[in-house]
Amino acid sequence: MANTKSYSLGPGLSTAEQVAGFCYLPFYVVLLSLLLEYLSALLGLGLTTLQLNICYFVINALVVWIIFHNFLLRSLRQTRFWELVQALILGFVLYYAGNYVFSLILHLLRIEVTSYNDETVQLLASENFWVMVACSVVIAPMVEETLVRGLLFGVIRRKSRIAAYAVTILFFALLHVWQYFFLYDVQSVLLSALAYVPAGIALGWTYEKSNTIWGPILLHMAINAISFGIMSLM
């Protein structure tokens, strides 16, 4: 695509990629899942929650690849291997250190947090573990990082680094919990959202450190893979 620019985060998005990405963002966050549920009911398909989630993941992956494949390939070609490895290692440390601090604060304040999204993933994994591994470990990180870090973080960071972190951390946290506001009390859902703050910080920092969108994508994949590995042992 024309009009492609490069910034300190590696290859930037073209104007066409930015416009298409922001147009698709509402579908990714809310509209696509609602549309799938509506069509399933309208056509009498009777799709299960797992089947609806599979459709959601696959459609998002296809659309994101169509819109951003040039960006992803440009980033891959310009990735510096050892710079990426260093960023991933430090990103892991930052993520788990952040989680430890978060858990320690909750323990000292005697606050219990329920991860509603994790509960949903575990329930779906109990229906088909390997399908959920493919969706959560492979597809979701590529889609989320391309849209959250590549699009939102990358565009906002040109104006303000602080704003880029603030917006994407908030967006990333609410992305995983917004639907639970309709099911549980607001306070418990907000506390559940706070659990995603360490990941939001670590993924944004890894993007900057690795200078490629594949940094946060791979870190996100690894974090989810470890979570599924722990889940399989329980």
Side-chain angles (χ1 to χ4, degrees):
M1 295 182 181
N3 196 30
T4 298
K5 302 177 182 179
S6 291
Y7 304 95
S8 58
L9 294 175
L13 294 169
S14 68
T15 300
E17 288 167 333
Q18 291 180 39
V19 171
F22 279 113
C23 286
Y24 185 68
L25 204 57
F27 285 89
Y28 166 64
V29 177
V30 179
L31 299 180
L32 178 58
S33 59
L34 296 178
L35 181 61
L36 288 172
E37 290 181 8
Y38 173 75
L39 290 176
S40 176
L42 180 66
L43 300 175
L45 299 177
L47 296 178
T48 66
T49 302
L50 177 62
Q51 291 169 332
L52 286 170
N53 272 273
I54 293 171
C55 292
Y56 174 80
F57 280 117
V58 171
I59 292 172
N60 275 322
L62 290 174
V63 174
V64 165
W65 178 253
I66 290 170
I67 296 174
F68 297 104
H69 65 277
N70 284 329
F71 167 66
L72 292 168
L73 292 174
R74 288 194 305 269
S75 296
L76 183 62
R77 285 193 294 266
Q78 296 186 30
T79 295
R80 297 182 178 89
F81 178 75
W82 291 114
E83 191 174 273
L84 175 62
V85 170
Q86 182 185 49
L88 289 174
I89 293 172
L90 295 176
F92 262 114
V93 173
L94 181 59
Y95 169 71
Y96 284 107
N99 269 342
Y100 174 76
V101 171
F102 178 68
S103 299
L104 181 61
I105 292 173
L106 292 178
H107 175 72
L108 293 175
L109 296 176
R110 297 181 179 180
I111 297 175
E112 292 187 6
V113 175
T114 301
S115 180
Y116 297 114
N117 186 64
D118 285 353
E119 288 184 348
T120 300
V121 171
Q122 289 175 9
L123 180 62
L124 294 174
S126 68
E127 296 184 40
N128 194 315
F129 183 81
W130 292 109
V131 166
M132 283 307 296
V133 167
C135 290
S136 299
V137 176
V138 180
I139 298 177
M142 189 273 288
V143 172
E144 288 182 15
E145 295 311 313
T146 301
L147 290 171
V148 179
R149 247 61 61 174
L151 179 64
L152 282 179
F153 189 92
V155 170
I156 297 173
R157 190 182 179 280
R158 289 182 295 173
K159 302 294 184 180
S160 169
R161 186 172 185 242
I162 294 175
Y165 271 97
V167 170
T168 54
I169 289 170
L170 178 62
F171 183 87
F172 185 70
L174 293 179
L175 177 65
H176 290 84
V177 302
W178 69 265
Q179 61 269 45
Y180 302 108
F181 282 112
F182 302 102
L183 301 173
Y184 306 100
D185 63 279
V186 173
Q187 182 178 345
S188 67
V189 176
L190 288 175
L191 285 172
S192 182
L194 287 176
Y196 292 93
V197 171
I201 296 172
L203 291 165
W205 184 88
T206 300
Y207 189 17
E208 291 185 307
K209 183 68 177 179
S210 64
N211 207 36
T212 172
I213 192 60
W214 291 98
I217 289 175
L218 291 174
L219 178 59
H220 198 155
M221 286 180 173
I223 290 171
N224 287 2
I226 291 171
S227 296
F228 270 87
I230 294 173
M231 188 190 307
S232 68
L233 297 175
M234 296 175 64

